[in-house]
Amino acid sequence: MNIETIFTLKSTYRDDFRIDGYRFGKGEKTCCIVGALRGNEVQQLYVCSQIIKALSNLEKKGNITYNHEIMVIPSLNPFSMNIQRRFWSVDNTDINRMFPGDSSGKTTQRIAAGIFDFIKEYQYGIQFTSFYISGDFIPHVRMMETEHKNVSLANLFGLPYILLRKPKPFDTATLNYNWQLANTSAFSVYTNETETIDESSAQTAVGAVLRFLSRMGVIKYQSHGGYMATTLEEEHLMSVHAKQGGIYRRIKQPGDEVEQDEPMAEILHPFDGSVLEVIKAPANGIVFFAHKSPLVLENSVVYKIIKRLHI
Amino acid sequence: MIEDVVSVKLPVMEQMTIKKNRFEPITKNGNEKRICIVTGVHGDELEGQYVCYELVRTLSENCHLLNGIVDIYPSVNPLGMDSIKREMPIFELDMNMIFPGSETGAVAEHIAAALIKDISGADLCIDLHASNIFLREIPQVRISEETAPRLLPYAKMMNVDFVWVHSSSTVMEATLSHSLNKIGTPTLVAEMGAGMRITKSYGDQLLDGIFNLMAKMGIWLGETKKVSHPIISTDGNVSIIYSEASGIYMPAIKHWAGISEGDHIGDILNPLTGTVEQQIFSPCSGIVFTLREYPVVYQGSLVARILGGC
Ligand SMILES: [Zn+2]
């Protein structure tokens, strides 16, 4: 293992901003794994730390195969993490909306460019990330639906689902999209949590990455089989909206099966505790996404359901 | 008449409502032109507040001079404006990244879609911005190259100093102006002043432009003032200067003043070591139309934009 500094930026009032990467193996730039881009992506940071731990052990035993190099970058944004802000500490811009970046442009564009020029050389790119709406997902691999996507490779993670997303305008400035454009096979891996650590979904994510690397012949590692993934298109997920605002009491969790009209959550009056709304399943299916915050606004998407077609 | 455009129940006994004030002629014939004045997409931009106030005040006192419909939306991101936040609070989303939205989407998308629906079909929309807390802008209109043939005639009536015809990127497709232009509602973006501030002289200047525009469109029958002719420029004539050091920026020039190649624009200072980290000189001759307002800079912070080719 070799620790190297990929990007630095001088600061007047703080330590210099620094992005560090952990390099394993030697030879072809095979796989780059990226963790937190936002300051609140603690679970993503944790997952990377556990991958680094696992890869260190594998390397010590000589289990990284010949002519393969793996790079792990646990955080692209330690500055925001340290002051508990989601976005860039100065101007609140999102580094994940700045790719491919511009080395003579704005600060966050420079950060994006500094990192992207380095990581676009890798054959596979894996990113742990979070959604702009807060909530929990079934662990899954997500990719932008571009001509460069590689669904059969996404299968090798052995996670239960692969989600394809049609890029919206803002997606064109994300890491995943630009990685694909630069001919890196790019995968975003979503786990249950963001701001707190969920040990079991973190282990699922670590296991998925090690499984992928072993199936690609990059590491020697005994992994159990995992799932045969189902591929979903984001637009086919069924959104369930809240019709009231108030206290949100979640009944169904990501991964739960639901039957049509089964209660999924309740919205309570914030002062008297009476039930304002019982949110019922609109169809038979499986919960893919669930709202997390204990408070909810009217019209929020509280669930996304994978509709079962043949029942 | 004050109307609700869209309203959402917040969790704890509060309703978030985007409101507009509509002015109509006393007698209508059904063929009136309609103009929409929108501001507050970014909650930290306040220049439009004075413009809306003056517009509403003048129209209220002069209903008899109205020959069209004027819709005024003083705050389309009311929670952001109240909490001094550029983005929509709760979602931390820049509203100008979610248009045209979706009626069946998440809350922010739903709000965006409702706003688009309300404005669509207007004969003209002006989306009024006030830079951000970092930069000061002279009154200007920004339009994309694709929309220039249709929008430039309107932009020239606005009494601004400068019209910037810029190239567009995919990311910009999610803005209010792009989304409205795409569905055939001509929309101009006006930028002026600085975030969290109100510059009365800029507001008065733009108000003269808005009344002139409304008069030319046949919406306003009252008096108008003579407006100035703006400088019109494309990206090719705009030079952008970024800081190449981190520290405190101390300007050596004035905003909207002429500058020659090699002139001293300012210094980046280190208050701890007492050293000058960078002296910044102008790469070209021209006029400084954007100047840094907020002193703390990083490498890559925008310091100035100069109108004039290099
Ligand atoms: Zn703005």
Side-chain angles (χ1 to χ4, degrees):
Chain A
M1 183 190 70
N2 207 5
I3 304 170
E4 43 195 273
T5 297
I6 300 161
F7 182 84
T8 55
L9 188 70
K10 271 201 121 25
S11 170
T12 315
Y13 301 106
R14 301 176 65 168
D15 268 355
D16 291 345
F17 176 80
R18 210 177 68 230
I19 298 173
D20 289 335
Y22 286 66
R23 187 190 296 273
F24 299 91
K26 271 198 204 96
E28 286 209 354
K29 291 179 184 286
T30 307
C31 185
C32 180
I33 299 163
V34 170
L37 257 86
R38 281 87 173 236
N40 66 338
E41 293 178 344
V42 181
Q43 166 87 346
Q44 289 75 4
L45 178 77
Y46 177 70
V47 168
C48 279
S49 74
Q50 297 307 299
I51 290 173
I52 289 174
K53 211 169 129 192
L55 290 175
S56 300
N57 285 330
L58 289 166
E59 192 172 47
K60 270 184 213 136
K61 293 177 192 145
N63 284 336
I64 299 199
T65 56
Y66 172 75
N67 202 24
H68 287 300
E69 187 215 293
I70 308 161
M71 170 62 64
V72 189
I73 307 169
S75 174
L76 262 65
N77 195 351
F79 258 32
S80 299
M81 291 201 125
N82 285 333
I83 58 166
Q84 301 189 14
R85 296 249 311 248
R86 183 163 161 83
F87 299 128
W88 180 242
S89 54
V90 183
D91 62 6
N92 214 34
T93 50
D94 184 358
I95 299 174
N96 205 24
R97 297 283 180 273
M98 294 294 160
F99 288 95
D102 176 355
S103 58
S104 54
K106 289 189 289 185
T107 309
T108 37
Q109 289 174 328
R110 291 182 188 211
I111 297 171
I115 203 78
F116 191 67
D117 287 345
F118 180 81
I119 66 180
K120 72 179 180 203
E121 305 294 326
Y122 289 82
Q123 203 177 345
Y124 311 114
I126 301 169
Q127 182 194 3
F128 295 100
T129 186
S130 62
F131 200 51
Y132 73 97
I133 299 169
S134 87
D136 304 334
F137 286 100
I138 295 185
H140 68 280
V141 181
R142 180 181 288 243
M143 50 212 305
M144 298 285 177
E145 199 164 359
T146 72
E147 62 209 84
H148 306 279
K149 68 173 192 294
N150 194 332
V151 177
S152 54
L153 281 183
N155 249 308
L156 302 181
F157 287 91
L159 287 173
Y161 294 98
I162 298 167
L163 188 80
L164 297 175
R165 175 181 170 88
K166 284 217 166 61
K168 290 188 179 175
F170 69 79
D171 287 313
T172 59
T174 61
L175 173 58
N176 186 288
Y177 184 89
N178 283 281
W179 238 348
Q180 284 197 29
L181 245 54
N183 282 321
T184 294
S185 296
F187 312 97
S188 296
V189 177
Y190 282 73
T191 67
N192 291 51
E193 281 292 344
T194 299
E195 289 176 12
T196 55
I197 289 170
D198 176 67
E199 191 65 51
S200 91
S201 82
Q203 288 318 319
T204 303
V206 173
V209 168
L210 296 179
R211 188 179 298 120
F212 176 84
L213 292 174
S214 104
R215 286 174 171 177
M216 294 306 295
V218 183
I219 58 173
K220 283 180 247 161
Y221 174 76
Q222 204 69 33
S223 65
H224 61 88
Y227 295 86
M228 288 287 290
T230 306
T231 304
L232 307 166
E233 310 212 354
E234 192 180 39
E235 67 216 58
H236 293 159
L237 293 174
M238 200 172 195
S239 293
V240 183
H241 292 259
K243 293 187 188 70
Q244 293 285 341
I247 293 172
Y248 173 74
R249 182 188 275 160
R250 187 158 109 178
I251 300 168
K252 293 293 178 185
Q253 315 300 329
D256 285 356
E257 295 208 16
V258 291
E259 281 184 31
Q260 186 163 357
D261 293 330
E262 200 184 344
M264 299 185 77
E266 288 174 341
I267 297 176
L268 310 181
H269 188 286
F271 286 177
D272 69 23
S274 59
V275 177
L276 296 173
E277 187 193 356
V278 178
I279 296 172
K280 292 181 177 165
N284 295 340
I286 296 164
V287 176
F288 187 76
F289 166 83
H291 175 85
K292 170 91 176 168
S293 157
L295 297 178
V296 70
L297 286 82
E298 178 191 1
N299 255 325
S300 297
V301 174
V302 285
Y303 286 104
K304 289 197 178 200
I305 295 175
I306 307 164
K307 213 171 136 181
R308 283 238 217 97
L309 295 172
H310 310 289
I311 295 176
Chain B
M1 189 176 54
I2 295 171
E3 297 172 18
D4 292 353
V5 177
V6 58
S7 187
V8 174
K9 279 197 199 88
L10 300 180
V12 188
M13 313 300 276
E14 188 186 348
Q15 197 81 23
M16 188 219 80
T17 309
I18 297 180
K19 296 180 184 193
K20 72 171 178 183
N21 201 341
R22 165 166 284 199
F23 291 87
E24 296 177 315
I26 298 155
T27 47
K28 287 199 286 182
N29 61 21
N31 293 322
E32 285 79 13
K33 294 242 162 140
R34 175 161 73 105
I35 186 170
C36 296
I37 313 291
V38 180
T39 192
V41 165
H42 296 133
D44 61 347
E45 301 179 15
L46 305 177
E47 301 276 6
Q49 298 304 295
Y50 169 70
V51 173
C52 286
Y53 164 79
E54 270 298 310
L55 205 52
V56 170
R57 188 187 65 78
T58 311
L59 293 174
S60 302
E61 291 169 3
N62 298 282
C63 289
H64 60 289
L65 296 174
L66 209 55
N67 189 40
I69 300 167
V70 186
D71 281 330
I72 299 164
Y73 306 71
S75 174
V76 296
N77 177 8
L79 296 180
M81 200 152 269
D82 180 76
S83 55
I84 328 179
K85 268 192 161 262
R86 188 170 183 78
E87 297 78 17
M88 293 176 100
I90 312 170
F91 322 105
E92 277 222 68
L93 267 180
D94 184 331
M95 250 186 129
N96 248 350
M97 282 196 170
I98 54 168
F99 288 105
S102 144
E103 278 184 44
T104 56
V107 185
E109 278 101 342
H110 169 78
I111 292 169
L115 187 60
I116 293 271
K117 193 174 167 193
D118 202 76
I119 297 169
S120 74
D123 297 280
L124 191 70
C125 174
I126 299 170
D127 180 18
L128 190 47
H129 286 253
S131 183
N132 53 41
I133 63 163
F134 305 104
L135 304 169
R136 174 162 285 275
E137 300 280 358
I138 56 140
Q140 60 197 269
V141 169
R142 293 183 187 168
I143 52 183
S144 67
E145 280 163 357
E146 299 87 81
T147 57
R150 189 169 184 197
L151 296 181
L152 200 52
Y154 293 116
K156 287 179 182 168
M157 299 172 195
M158 292 265 290
N159 199 33
V160 292
D161 298 311
F162 172 42
V163 177
W164 185 354
V165 182
H166 59 80
S167 64
S168 50
S169 63
T170 317
V171 178
M172 283 182 186
E173 285 174 16
T175 59
L176 175 66
S177 59
H178 180 96
S179 304
L180 284 170
N181 279 314
K182 202 171 164 188
I183 57 167
T185 301
T187 302
L188 300 166
V189 174
E191 281 276 4
M192 64 180 193
M196 297 191 191
R197 296 286 178 270
I198 290 181
T199 316
K200 186 171 178 296
S201 59
Y202 287 172
D204 289 331
Q205 181 182 340
L206 195 77
L207 279 158
D208 289 344
I210 292 172
F211 278 104
N212 175 59
L213 186 66
M214 291 198 300
K216 294 268 174 10
M217 289 174 72
I219 292 172
W220 173 247
L221 304 173
E223 273 182 33
T224 57
K225 298 201 175 104
K226 196 174 160 6
V227 299
S228 63
H229 294 288
I231 302 169
I232 294 155
S233 177
T234 56
D235 289 345
N237 286 320
V238 173
S239 303
I240 304 176
I241 298 164
Y242 296 102
S243 172
E244 295 304 327
S246 300
I248 294 294
Y249 170 67
M250 292 294 284
I253 49 167
K254 285 209 168 65
H255 191 206
W256 200 225
I259 195 168
S260 299
E261 188 182 338
D263 279 0
H264 188 200
I265 288 182
D267 294 321
I268 310 293
L269 311 177
N270 184 322
L272 182 66
T273 59
T275 47
V276 176
E277 301 290 315
Q278 187 197 354
Q279 286 186 296
I280 305 173
F281 299 99
S282 181
C284 61
S285 301
I287 316 173
V288 181
F289 70 93
T290 306
L291 186 61
R292 190 160 188 91
E293 175 92 357
Y294 190 77
V296 177
V297 295
Y298 266 84
Q299 278 171 51
S301 294
L302 207 153
V303 170
R305 289 195 196 99
I306 297 170
L307 180 59
C310 282

